[in-house]
């Protein structure tokens, strides 16, 4: 070869130890090849295939900000970058598709190929499903959840759906294959960054691939759906994992046109802390989707009047704005039905806290109109005895303490809302269990009013309204402040209100 002026070139995969062994045994130099970046590969293939440079440039300029980065993320392998260029030319420049449509088409092809590739190996399929759910989270989360799925499959033996669709291939330990090799086979990558916000995450290069994975699994392997629901019911207590699991269940519901929601009840009843929240994420996320909305709403209605506490919790969680898109009216109606169901049932008191948190979160996240709607409904609840009345007293002080400036503005601008505030404040002071909390909130308001004229005027109106309402809990508050130390905030305001109360007291009967 030397005499012929030739060279022997052996191309090896970047596998641990392989290049070193070759160098040791054959005394051959090893050259590490670093492929060009995805932008360079993409540009080269685009230039080679584009017959109309003006049209190509125009299509690229029309991309939304950040869309090219989604199409060509850092570290994207050359093969994927070349595929992206071909799709842009075929679907975008010639076909007129948008950047989002091109990316979706690429993901559909990639996702279908990944599922087909993973079917021959349960460990690879478990990793594929885990990345589809938890992609973007810490590497340990993705690998541990894949191992959890494999353990479930192992307990099911040959009868497990995952084992059956893998054509009899044995379920091996997912850790036997090096992580870089697993990620290469699944079109995924590991992102590690040092520094103050150190990261070590795993995700697909094109995250939208996960949508195709669910579509293919639900369409071609429906026997897996029940197993996956059981798997997703047991994530860790971390909020981001619970949300990811719930969204994955919702993705299966959408992919099956709502048929997979027949497994949702069993999921919610799994004896684990996150299970009701996972179900809630599914229901709340599925409500806006026209294909499954009716099923999701029907389940929420049914579960709100059932007897199982986990189902009640799932409904309450679904009513939060950060768990989906249940409308204001739907949420308040469901929460009211939950409270009516709970009346007299002491076994379900654990649900009360979840309902209260949902009400407070709904209020805090809403605009002025949404907040007024919540307060109007709560004012109505004060007219009844039972859970709804108690919950109103429990939640109102928490709502007031979150944004005193907003309360002050609305009391001065909205007569109807001001009337509701008077009624709700008096109600919270009347309840022995919430008197102290409401008392302290009013004292904080008194303290802040000393330096804020707007808040001082609103507080004065509130106290005048409470005097006129003549609730015993407010009289108790006035006397407590009047008898308190001189440094207690609101002494002067309380003294004036107490004098007004006494001046309006009904005359005693001297006959």
């Amino acid at each position: 070869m030397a005499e012929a002026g030739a060279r022997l070139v052996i191309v090896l995969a970047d596998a641990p130890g392989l290049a070193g062994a070759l160098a040791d045994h054959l005394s051959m130099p090893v050259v590490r090849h670093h492929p060009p970046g995805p932008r360079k590969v993409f540009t080269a293939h685009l230039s080679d295939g584009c017959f109309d440079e003006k049209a190509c440039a125009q299509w690229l300029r029309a991309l939304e900000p950040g869309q090219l980065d989604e199409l060509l993320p850092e570290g994207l392998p050359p093969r994927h970058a070349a595929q992206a260029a071909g799709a842009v030319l075929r679907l975008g420049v010639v076909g007129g598709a948008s950047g989002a449509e091109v990316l979706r088409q690429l993901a559909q092809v990639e996702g279908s190929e990944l599922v087909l590739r993973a079917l021959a190996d349960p460990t690879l399929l478990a990793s594929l499903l885990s990345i589809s759910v938890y992609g973007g989270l810490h590497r340990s989360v993705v690998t541990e959840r894949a191992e959890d799925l494999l353990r479930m499959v192992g307990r099911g033996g040959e009868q497990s759906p995952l084992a059956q669709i893998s054509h009899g291939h044995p379920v091996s330990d997912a850790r036997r294959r090096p992580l870089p090799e697993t990620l290469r086979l699944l079109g995924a990558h590991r992102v590690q960054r040092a520094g103050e916000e150190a990261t070590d995450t795993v995700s697909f290069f094109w995250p939208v691939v996960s949508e195709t994975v669910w579509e293919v699994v639900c369409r071609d392997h429906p026997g897996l759906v029940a197993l996956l629901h059981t798997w997703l019911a047991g994530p860790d207590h971390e909020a981001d994992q619970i949300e990811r699991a719930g969204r994955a269940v919702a993705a299966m519901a959408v992919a099956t046109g709502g048929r997979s929601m027949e497994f949702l009840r069993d999921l919610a009843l799994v004896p684990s802390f996150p299970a009701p929240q996972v179900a809630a994420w599914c229901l709340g996320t599925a409500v806006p989707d026209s294909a499954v909305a009716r099923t999701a709403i029907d389940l929420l209605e049914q579960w709100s009047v059932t007897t199982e506490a986990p189902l009640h919790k799932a409904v309450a969680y679904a009513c939060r704005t950060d768990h989906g898109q249940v409308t204001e009216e739907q949420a308040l109606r469901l929460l009211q039905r939950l409270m009516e169901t709970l009346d007299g049932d002491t076994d379900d008191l654990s649900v009360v806290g979840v309902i209260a948190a949902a009400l407070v979160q709904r209020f805090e996240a809403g605009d002025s109109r949404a907040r007024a709607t919540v307060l109007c409904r709560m004012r109505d609840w004060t007219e009844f005895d039972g859970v709804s009345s108690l919950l109103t007293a429990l939640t109102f002080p928490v709502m007031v303490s979150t944004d005193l400036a907003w309360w002050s503005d609305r009391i001065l601008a909205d007569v109807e809302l001001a009337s509701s505030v008077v009624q709700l404040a008096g109600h919270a002071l009347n309840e022995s269990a919430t008197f102290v909390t409401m008392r302290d909130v009013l004292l904080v308001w008194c303290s802040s009013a000393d330096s804020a004229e707007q808040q001082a005027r609103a507080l004065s109106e509130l106290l005048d309204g409470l005097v006129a309402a003549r609730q015993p809990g407010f009289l108790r508050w006035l006397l407590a402040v009047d008898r308190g130390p001189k440094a207690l905030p609101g002494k002067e305001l309380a003294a004036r209100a107490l004098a007004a109360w006494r001046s309006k007291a009904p005359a005693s009967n001297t006959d």
Side-chain angles (χ1 to χ4, degrees):
M1 292 182 65
E3 291 175 0
R7 295 286 189 272
L8 174 64
V9 179
I10 303 175
V11 180
L12 302 173
D14 188 15
L18 186 59
L22 185 67
D24 291 341
H25 291 292
L26 300 183
S27 300
M28 297 179 66
V30 175
V31 178
R32 297 280 179 179
H33 172 65
H34 298 284
R39 293 286 182 105
K40 190 171 184 180
V41 175
F42 175 83
T43 301
H45 280 267
L46 198 66
S47 299
D48 287 345
C50 187
F51 298 102
D52 188 342
E53 293 184 3
K54 185 177 179 180
C56 286
Q58 184 177 5
W59 189 89
L60 291 171
R61 284 195 301 271
L63 290 174
E64 297 179 5
Q67 209 161 62
L68 191 59
D69 291 332
E70 292 181 34
L71 194 64
L72 303 169
E74 183 181 350
L76 185 72
R79 176 177 68 86
H80 290 74
Q83 289 175 341
V88 165
L89 289 171
R90 185 177 68 261
L91 302 172
V93 178
V94 177
S98 67
E101 291 170 331
V102 169
L103 183 57
R104 190 157 47 246
Q105 288 291 328
L106 281 167
Q108 286 178 348
V109 174
E110 175 78 358
S112 299
E113 292 178 354
L114 290 178
V115 174
L116 185 63
R117 184 181 307 152
L119 289 179
D121 185 346
T123 62
L124 194 61
L125 184 55
S127 295
L128 173 65
L129 293 170
S130 186
I131 297 174
S132 297
V133 179
Y134 303 105
L137 299 184
H138 195 273
R139 168 185 54 84
S140 62
V141 173
V142 175
T143 55
E144 287 169 8
R145 296 300 290 140
E147 291 165 11
D148 288 345
L149 180 55
L150 283 174
R151 279 193 288 272
M152 290 178 61
V153 174
R155 290 194 294 269
E158 293 302 319
Q159 299 305 311
S160 166
L162 190 62
Q164 289 178 0
I165 70 168
S166 298
H167 311 303
H169 291 269
V171 178
S172 58
D173 191 331
R175 289 169 291 189
R176 290 180 183 174
R177 179 186 288 110
L179 181 61
E181 175 67 7
T182 297
L183 298 181
R184 184 185 68 79
L185 291 171
L186 296 178
H189 63 149
R190 179 180 177 184
V191 177
Q192 294 177 282
R193 293 192 182 93
E196 186 175 343
E197 295 185 1
T199 60
D200 186 2
T201 62
V202 169
S203 63
F204 292 121
F205 282 107
W206 294 322
V208 288
V209 163
S210 61
E211 296 178 12
T212 301
V213 170
W214 297 124
E215 291 171 4
V216 174
V217 167
C218 292
R219 183 189 66 230
D220 299 339
H221 308 288
L224 270 179
V225 174
L227 171 69
L228 294 176
H229 276 67
T230 303
W231 172 56
L232 292 168
D236 201 348
H237 291 186
E238 297 296 329
D240 52 3
Q241 295 183 47
I242 294 172
E243 177 182 351
R244 294 302 188 88
R247 291 188 179 278
V249 177
M252 285 189 279
V254 172
T256 60
R259 293 186 301 278
S260 66
M261 297 179 89
E262 67 179 286
F263 303 111
L264 201 56
R265 180 187 180 91
D266 290 339
L267 183 155
L269 293 175
V270 168
S272 72
F273 170 80
Q277 291 191 62
V278 173
W281 270 108
C282 172
L283 291 168
T285 305
V287 162
D289 189 279
S290 58
V292 296
R294 186 68 262 166
T295 304
I297 292 171
D298 286 347
L299 285 177
L300 286 168
E301 297 284 353
Q302 293 168 20
W303 292 4
S304 67
V305 295
T306 189
T307 58
E308 291 93 344
L311 300 184
H312 290 164
K313 290 180 181 179
V315 174
Y317 282 123
C319 289
R320 296 172 59 103
T321 60
D322 57 1
H323 275 57
Q325 298 182 43
V326 176
T327 67
E328 205 74 47
E329 185 59 35
Q330 288 172 334
L332 292 173
R333 186 183 71 254
L334 288 167
L335 291 174
Q336 182 172 350
R337 291 182 68 180
L338 279 176
M339 290 184 282
E340 292 170 352
T341 303
L342 290 175
D343 277 334
D345 191 345
T346 56
D347 292 336
D348 277 358
L349 290 181
S350 62
V351 183
V352 172
V354 183
I355 299 174
L359 268 175
V360 172
Q361 190 279 331
R362 193 102 209 170
F363 176 85
E364 291 178 352
D367 56 18
S368 290
R369 184 176 179 180
R371 289 181 171 187
T373 301
V374 173
L375 293 174
C376 181
R377 188 65 64 88
M378 289 175 63
R379 181 191 62 200
D380 295 340
W381 293 341
T382 63
E383 304 293 338
F384 306 98
D385 293 328
V387 174
S388 60
S389 178
L390 178 60
L391 266 173
T392 298
L394 287 169
T395 56
F396 180 72
V398 181
M399 294 175 180
V400 176
S401 64
T402 58
D403 191 355
L404 285 176
W406 180 85
W407 287 97
S408 300
D409 291 342
R410 299 314 303 160
I411 285 175
L412 295 173
D414 189 331
V415 175
E416 184 178 355
L417 185 137
S419 175
S420 297
V421 174
V422 169
Q423 186 169 341
L424 290 166
H427 177 68
L429 290 170
N430 283 343
E431 288 283 350
S432 58
T434 57
F435 171 81
V436 172
T437 307
M438 192 69 234
R439 177 201 67 188
D440 292 345
V441 169
L442 288 177
L443 291 176
V444 170
W445 200 335
C446 289
S447 178
S448 64
D450 290 339
S451 57
E453 181 182 351
Q454 186 89 339
Q455 292 190 26
R457 288 171 52 216
L459 180 60
S460 181
E461 284 202 19
L462 173 59
L463 296 182
D464 289 345
L466 287 167
V467 168
R470 306 190 67 78
Q471 293 293 319
F474 180 58
L475 177 59
R476 181 185 174 190
W477 182 84
L478 289 175
L479 293 173
V481 177
D482 184 61
R483 296 165 183 168
K486 291 183 178 180
L488 195 67
K491 291 283 285 186
E492 185 178 341
L493 285 170
R496 288 202 302 266
L498 186 57
W501 180 290
R502 287 168 173 162
S503 70
K504 296 178 181 179
S508 59
N509 187 354
T510 57
D511 295 337

